[in-house]
Amino acid sequence: MSAEDLDNYETEAELALYREYRDVIKLFTYVVETERRFYLANKVDFNVRSAGQDVYFDVQLTDAWVWDVYRPTRFVRNVRIVTFKDVNVEEVQKTDLDIPDSM
């Protein structure tokens, strides 16, 4: 496999992932973004915890989809995120879901 073949494979995989995202976003209520991953979920339980003087986030997602091109199964029942980094949780506005089909 040449470098060009590998690049084409990765490009096609990313495009397929975007198309899957476009198809499934309408099924979810929340978008959750961390430093490492991007998730769609129908339930988010967000907790701020402390360990001594450090603060971290403990986030539980239920009925989720994970943006990860290399993951064989992107739909997961439960996800737990524990991180010291920022976590962004947004409610999906159903009127904002006018995603173009041309891609």
Side-chain angles (χ1 to χ4, degrees), residues 1 4 18-20 22 24-25 27 40 43 45 48 50-51 57 64-68 83 85 92-93 96 99-100:
M1 179 176 261
E4 184 177 337
Y18 171 77
R19 287 178 178 146
E20 183 178 328
R22 183 189 63 207
V24 302
I25 191 170
L27 305 173
L40 301 173
K43 182 179 177 194
D45 184 20
V48 178
S50 61
F57 304 108
W65 182 87
V66 183
W67 179 288
D68 187 340
T83 183
K85 305 288 184 176
V92 174
Q93 299 297 319
D96 292 344
I99 300 172

Side-chain angles (χ1 to χ4, degrees), residues 44-93:
V44 177
D45 184 20
F46 186 90
N47 296 291
V48 178
R49 309 263 191 229
S50 61
Q53 292 185 356
D54 294 325
V55 174
Y56 65 94
F57 304 108
D58 185 355
V59 185
Q60 304 261 347
L61 308 178
T62 304
D63 186 25
W65 182 87
V66 183
W67 179 288
D68 187 340
V69 73
Y70 300 108
R71 214 181 147 87
T73 304
R74 286 183 273 280
F75 287 97
V76 289
R77 184 171 298 182
N78 296 299
V79 175
R80 182 174 183 202
I81 304 163
V82 179
T83 183
F84 289 95
K85 305 288 184 176
D86 290 341
V87 176
N88 185 39
V89 179
E90 296 179 28
E91 188 171 354
V92 174
Q93 299 297 319

